[in-house]
Amino acid sequence: TGIWKAFLDDVEGKVDPLVPVRSMAVFRLKENRELISLVARDPELKQYILKAEDHHILIPHAHLGKVRNRLETFGYLIQDLR
């Protein structure tokens, strides 16, 4: 009946509500004011980085190289960016 369908639809909508995004890499910025400011203000980096809470950033895998190159122009050495 209608009540059961609504109930089952509600239950189904609550199963696995978090969907992993495999096309994105998640990083946490070190406590470095210069780096945090650069990520927040640089127009080129802002094109490729999504900011999250607590100094976390999300970068689409397709743009990891661009972010690495841009950070390296400011003297940051990125050894493991994947």
Side-chain angles (χ1 to χ4, degrees):
T1 65
I3 292 174
W4 282 108
K5 178 160 177 23
F7 170 75
L8 292 174
D9 287 346
D10 183 55
V11 169
E12 186 177 278
K14 292 181 179 177
V15 174
D16 291 328
L18 303 178
V19 179
V21 179
R22 302 201 192 290
S23 63
M24 297 280 233
V26 179
F27 300 94
R28 186 182 54 79
L29 299 176
K30 288 185 175 181
E31 292 291 330
N32 175 320
R33 288 181 190 258
E34 184 179 312
L35 174 62
I36 292 167
S37 178
L38 177 65
V39 168
R41 294 189 174 97
D42 182 68
E44 190 171 331
L45 289 173
K46 286 170 76 172
Q47 294 178 57
Y48 308 120
I49 294 176
L50 297 172
K51 292 180 267 326
E53 293 292 322
D54 196 28
H55 302 299
H56 285 81
I57 59 172
L58 294 87
I59 306 171
H61 289 289
H63 298 305
L64 288 173
K66 294 173 186 168
V67 171
R68 169 189 280 141
N69 292 341
R70 184 64 176 166
L71 289 174
E72 287 178 352
T73 64
F74 291 96
Y76 293 96
L77 175 62
I78 312 296
Q79 294 181 350
D80 187 21
L81 187 63
R82 49 183 142 127

